[in-house]
Amino acid sequence: MPELILKPGTLKELWLLPPAPGGSRKYLAGGTDLVSGSNAGMDASQVWVDISDIKELKGIRETKNSLIIGSGVKISELSGSGLISRWLPALRSAIPHFASPSLRNMATIGGNAATASPCADGVCALCAERADVWLELGGKKRKIALQNFFSGPKKTVLRRDELITAFEVPKWKHAGVYLKLGPRAYFGIAKASVAVALELDGEKVRSASITLASVSPVPLMAVKTANYLKGRVLNYDNARTAAALVKTEVSPITDARSEAAYRREMSGVLLERALNSVILTGRMSQVAG
Amino acid sequence: MTEKNKKITHRAKFSLKCFVNGEKVERDLDSSRSLIEFIRLDLGLKGTKEGCGEGECGACLVLVDGKAVNSCLMMAIQLQGKRLITIEGLKGRDGGLHPLQKTFMEEGAVQCGFCTPGLIIASEALLRENPDATVEDIKRGLTGNLCRCTGYEKVVSAVRKAQKLS
């Protein structure tokens, strides 16, 4: 545990705090990664900054063209949000797969990104939803595409002391789904998972975003497969071809949770199931524009 | 920055003000105190258990502002101004046992008992959100609670029975 936890009430107060000794600040939000890491002896930092009561990081709001999701929004708050239900079907579909009910009451969507786990459910879905992420350092803000935020397992492009403040997700008419393969039905870490967001024009795919987790060092945007689907009719044959194609895009490893060959094969299976589910139900449930 | 915040942010000690099982509590604590340490060591409420310290087992569940959370992964400083309910604070309308405490006993949903406080808190949080939970909803609602004695069936029957009593 750290010797000291600082607790600013606002972003302005946060940026007035002195630098942390010996490295970048450790921000405490939901605590599900930071405190468990500390309990396991994997965090030696002396000072944490508790950002869990900073009001500017909370809430989900709507602008003309996008949703703004504060980085401090809990996963369970996402599941209760009418805006998320209406506009972000892939993210909505990922939430029941995210850890356990009590951890969903604690974990924040900002922490899900900051941890940069290759198997993170929330940010995998947000990448397919074409989210950008807002970062802030000393009052200076910048926005980047979420897919470019990750630089490796547990690594991000965050600068020293930089904070994730929000996600900006475009409102676009699309169907979406998230499928996860874990060791059990719920509360498992993914062997492979896939998030699909499809903009449909009748039976044709106008545009597609496909993101996979646990099968590459960072959430993987399957660009070749998405491009293959673009302009094509969404049917079972094309879903099968897309599934074969996505297996050439993933770069899984063998580790304690699964084997590379199985993960590659299941990436195709999950994508085919996801596309088939959109064929069966998604055209009707495509979000209202 | 206000004087109050300066005190909170620049000293290792802080003054915690919160409600515990309905009672107002004020304590000066080290800012590095975890919530489960505050509950067990400072308040002496030993019903809340620490199993894994990683959020995997759910033995440490408590309610904060009505939501179930893992007290092993929360810091006491994050309880500032909030309402904490531990297993000791769950009561029936008559001040006696809570319906879930009664049905867990009646159904024999206890083996060694270590996971029971967490299971009852998780069940209470579930039924507050979804009083008409189905068996499948209950199983999903309790996914964050591990019983090493593996007695899950009786737990599900106890929650089903409590639905009828509530």
Side-chain angles (χ1 to χ4, degrees), chain A residues 84-132:
Chain A
I84 302 294
S85 290
R86 179 170 181 206
W87 290 108
L88 306 181
L91 180 62
R92 180 186 60 199
S93 155
I95 293 165
H97 297 287
F98 194 111
S100 66
S102 58
L103 292 175
R104 291 198 287 272
N105 287 334
M106 304 179 77
T108 63
I109 191 66
N112 196 232
T115 298
S117 164
C119 58
D121 299 304
V123 288
C124 176
L126 268 182
C127 284
E129 300 283 11
R130 306 178 183 174
D132 290 329

Side-chain angles (χ1 to χ4, degrees), chain A residues 1-10 12-14 16-18 28-33 35-37 39-40 48 50-53 74 76 96 99-106 184 186-187 189, chain B residues 1-2 5 8-13 30-34 37 50 52-58 61 67-75 77-78 80 82 125 129 136 140-146:
Chain A
M1 286 294 168
E3 291 169 17
L4 177 66
I5 300 179
L6 306 175
K7 191 175 177 69
T10 63
K12 195 177 167 191
E13 287 181 5
L14 169 72
L16 290 173
L17 293 176
L28 169 65
T32 55
D33 287 313
V35 181
S36 64
N39 285 344
W48 289 353
D50 175 12
I51 56 171
S52 58
D53 284 329
K74 311 275 186 193
S76 58
S100 66
S102 58
L103 292 175
R104 291 198 287 272
N105 287 334
M106 304 179 77
R184 49 184 172 163
Y186 294 98
F187 199 15
I189 293 174
Chain B
M1 198 176 297
T2 63
N5 269 328
I8 291 171
T9 56
H10 292 120
R11 288 168 44 200
K13 290 265 184 194
D30 286 342
S31 65
S32 59
R33 204 69 159 154
S34 73
E37 287 171 337
E50 180 161 20
C52 65
E54 297 177 353
E56 296 286 338
C57 76
L61 289 196
K67 302 273 185 192
V69 298
N70 299 70
S71 62
C72 73
L73 299 183
M74 189 167 161
M75 305 304 291
I77 200 168
Q78 296 181 293
Q80 191 69 267
K82 296 187 168 72
E129 276 190 19
E136 185 57 29
R140 282 189 203 177
L142 301 179
T143 47
N145 294 76
L146 298 182

